[in-house]
Amino acid sequence: MSSNNIILGANQYGKAEVRLVKITRDTDRHEIEDLNVTSELRGDFEAAHLEGDNAHVVPTDTQKNTVYAFAREGVGSPEKFLLRLAEHFTSSFDWVDGGRWAAESYNWDRIQADGSEHNHSFVKNGTETRTAVVVKDGDDVQVMGGLKGLTVLKSTQSGFEGYPKDKYTTLAETSDRIMSTDVAARWRYNTTDVDFNNAYDDVKALLLEGFTENYSTALQNTLYGMGKKVLEAHPEIDEIKFSMPNKHHFLVDLAPFGLDNPNEVFFAADRPYGLIEATVLREDASDAGRAWEGIAGFC
Ligand SMILES: O=c1[nH]c(=O)c2[nH]c(=O)[nH]c2[nH]1
């Protein structure tokens, strides 16, 4: 017999996608920080759901305002900004014992004008979006850095051979192909005592270097090499998750036109694409708790 005693399960709520642009204009050379912030609170919100009593419901509108108010003092790094929000909400309201705070941040480059970098005109940088998540559960705080949309391509030093063949296999083995992907990665810090902006820049550089290094036997092999490189250089990171499409480039048959094609002309297919996903971690990684809950698109 199933019970008709109905109870409230896990819940969280807040304001999603608070778009925030912070200009620091202490001097004529302005700085821009551009983020999309989500704040969600966890704690004792049973009365609101069961009884219609909003006494504990810190409005989502207030959460939004807090994001803007905190930005007045600067953002610094998305991770530190989210940690400030987490600390604020859990220390200001007794019944808020945790939550989840997430951000995307977008890069702007200074426009080059008259041979120098402009003071207050920027062009949106077309490369990756930085991501950050903070999850606080009582005293346990988890910080995840990350990026998505880091599009890379190597035009040689990649192949795919030695795979099993059955009656449905048509793919030809190759030792020279294009490899291209949009890197999405999230990494979990084992401490909050980090210069997150420096760490981000270095992890991104290591991911790019890792992509270039070695002959790639498969995107799987390249992914693992990229993750290993990050973990070996960053003791403050315990694990890194990847989701990477294998953006296929098919050699076009130019024979009908009387032309050869020595790996020069490709059809860049947009779909379907291979999808290669994995986590690379320390054998003795710290407990992730609820860190990865709500982070979609990784395994
Ligand atoms: O790097 C690759 N990994 C695969 O798993 C795979 N499968 C496939 O058809 N091509 C490739 N390439």
Side-chain angles (χ1 to χ4, degrees):
M1 246 306 261
S2 57
S3 171
N4 269 343
N5 190 19
I6 312 302
I7 60 169
L8 177 68
N11 62 91
Q12 60 186 7
Y13 81 100
K15 196 68 102 189
E17 305 207 42
V18 179
R19 290 287 291 110
L20 160 68
V21 171
K22 167 69 170 52
I23 307 291
T24 301
R25 43 196 311 154
D26 302 346
T27 69
D28 282 347
R29 188 177 170 84
H30 293 181
E31 304 287 338
I32 182 169
E33 293 170 297
D34 182 358
L35 291 94
N36 192 17
V37 179
T38 294
S39 167
E40 290 175 287
L41 306 183
R42 296 174 183 162
D44 177 10
F45 300 106
E46 197 168 71
H49 290 87
L50 273 61
E51 293 154 26
D53 176 353
N54 288 339
H56 279 185
V57 184
V58 180
T60 67
D61 192 65
T62 305
Q63 295 180 51
K64 173 204 69 184
N65 291 343
T66 309
V67 168
Y68 287 121
F70 272 41
R72 182 66 184 86
E73 295 298 312
V75 173
S77 70
E79 292 86 354
K80 280 275 180 311
F81 188 66
L82 300 181
L83 284 166
R84 281 173 61 206
L85 291 171
E87 182 52 34
H88 166 77
F89 286 113
T90 52
S91 63
S92 302
F93 305 101
D94 286 351
W95 58 91
V96 176
D97 54 32
R100 183 174 191 279
W101 292 267
E104 292 186 351
S105 83
Y106 313 111
N107 302 319
W108 292 86
D109 295 330
R110 286 181 195 282
I111 291 179
Q112 299 279 337
D114 297 329
S116 63
E117 288 187 333
H118 202 271
N119 273 348
H120 57 259
S121 300
F122 304 87
V123 56
K124 198 159 188 187
N125 177 317
T127 65
E128 88 284 358
T129 296
R130 177 171 170 180
T131 62
V133 172
V134 165
V135 175
K136 186 160 160 53
D137 188 10
D139 289 336
D140 183 51
V141 183
Q142 300 277 354
V143 180
M144 277 69 63
L147 54 76
K148 62 182 181 182
L150 183 65
T151 302
V152 290
L153 179 150
K154 62 199 273 187
S155 53
T156 188
Q157 286 294 300
S158 159
F160 188 58
E161 298 173 279
Y163 47 83
K165 284 115 194 146
D166 68 7
K167 66 179 181 179
Y168 301 114
T169 305
T170 57
L171 185 72
E173 300 200 339
T174 176
S175 59
D176 190 8
R177 65 174 183 173
I178 286 181
M179 169 169 282
S180 179
T181 187
D182 305 320
V183 181
R186 302 264 192 169
W187 52 91
R188 184 167 63 87
Y189 293 99
N190 53 32
T191 168
T192 57
D193 187 17
V194 177
D195 180 334
F196 291 107
N197 287 341
N198 275 343
Y200 177 85
D201 289 343
D202 196 57
V203 170
K204 178 184 161 189
L206 291 167
L207 292 173
L208 290 172
E209 256 175 60
F211 179 77
T212 66
E213 280 172 6
N214 304 324
Y215 172 81
S216 172
T217 55
L219 188 50
Q220 286 90 330
N221 186 237
T222 298
L223 176 158
Y224 182 76
M226 291 162 71
K228 186 162 180 275
K229 208 171 161 67
V230 169
L231 294 178
E232 282 173 352
H234 284 270
E236 78 281 18
I237 297 174
D238 264 1
E239 59 178 321
I240 179 164
K241 291 178 180 286
F242 292 94
S243 178
M244 305 209 289
N246 187 3
K247 300 173 74 163
H248 303 305
H249 289 68
F250 297 110
L251 201 63
V252 179
D253 179 9
L254 299 178
F257 322 119
L259 298 170
D260 67 353
N261 189 358
N263 261 351
E264 300 215 354
V265 179
F266 296 87
F267 161 51
D270 70 336
R271 65 193 74 173
Y273 48 87
L275 185 58
I276 311 301
E277 304 185 304
T279 302
V280 184
L281 72 166
R282 296 183 197 286
E283 203 174 27
D284 61 351
S286 58
D287 184 7
R290 300 178 66 183
W292 296 112
E293 255 180 43
I295 295 184
F298 292 89
C299 68

